[in-house]
């Protein structure tokens, strides 16, 4: 996936879920993800997009967090309707639920996450390891 595809999917997902895109924030200051803010009547959600390389193949991950997700670990949230629409629009991307992201990090399941970075930064869960500011 490229930035254009991510942005297009966010606009379409916002339209289908009665939200409105408020902003796009590129990855900067060391963070390893880009984000899109989508405003709803009850709250604003950040769609986080990270890209990783695994065994020579590119891998895309999508998560939802409180918006905006700035420094530190994002506060992950669940919006099942939004995540379902994003899964339909971005079928090659891996969609993460809040429960998965707040669960333990198992390096056997996620072998491309650097053991050195895990020892140095000590992520408390899978989400902190996948969506972070220390890459």
């Amino acid at each position: 996936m490229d930035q254009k595809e991510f942005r297009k999917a966010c606009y379409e997902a916002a339209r289908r879920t009665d939200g409105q895109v408020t902003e796009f924030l590129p990855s900067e200051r060391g963070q390893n993800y880009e984000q899109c803010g989508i405003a709803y009547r009850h709250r604003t959600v950040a769609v986080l997009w990270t890209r990783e390389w695994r065994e020579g193949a590119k891998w895309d991950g999508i998560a939802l967090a409180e918006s905006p997700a700035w420094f530190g670990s994002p506060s992950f949230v669940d919006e099942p309707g939004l995540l379902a629409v994003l899964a339909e629009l971005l079928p090659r991307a891996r969609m993460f639920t809040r429960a998965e992201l707040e669960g333990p990090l198992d390096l056997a399941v996620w072998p491309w996450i650097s053991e050195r970075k895990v020892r140095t930064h000590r992520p408390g869960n899978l989400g902190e390891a996948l969506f972070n500011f220390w890459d």
Side-chain angles (χ1 to χ4, degrees):
M1 167 173 28
D2 62 18
Q3 190 179 64
K4 183 177 179 180
E5 185 179 0
F6 172 67
R7 288 180 178 215
K8 182 178 176 183
C10 288
Y11 275 110
E12 179 62 16
R15 186 188 69 75
R16 289 190 196 180
T17 59
D18 295 322
Q20 182 174 351
V21 171
T22 58
E23 65 186 344
F24 284 97
L25 300 172
S27 59
E28 56 185 31
R29 296 183 299 275
Q31 78 191 50
N32 73 338
Y33 58 88
E34 296 194 23
Q35 57 185 311
C36 167
I38 300 179
Y40 295 98
R41 278 177 268 139
H42 63 290
R43 70 173 163 184
T44 299
V45 176
V47 178
L48 309 181
W49 166 45
T50 191
R51 295 165 280 202
E52 301 284 343
W53 288 95
R54 182 177 187 181
E55 299 169 5
K58 196 170 192 174
W59 173 89
D60 296 292
I62 300 287
L64 304 178
E66 291 181 5
S67 181
W70 296 108
F71 290 106
S73 177
S75 296
F76 299 107
V77 298
D78 279 325
E79 284 288 336
L82 176 58
L83 208 57
V85 171
L86 288 166
E88 179 186 329
L89 296 169
L90 302 169
R92 294 181 314 271
R94 172 70 158 84
M95 303 292 150
F96 289 95
T97 65
R98 179 180 178 183
E100 289 175 301
L101 294 165
E102 291 178 349
L105 168 60
D106 181 350
L107 290 176
V109 176
W110 306 99
W112 70 88
I113 297 173
S114 164
E115 287 184 51
R116 180 185 56 78
K117 287 184 179 180
V118 168
R119 282 193 308 274
T120 302
H121 299 284
R122 301 182 189 277
N125 55 43
L126 176 62
E128 289 177 12
L130 292 176
F131 296 89
N132 60 67
F133 281 89
W134 38 264
D135 253 0

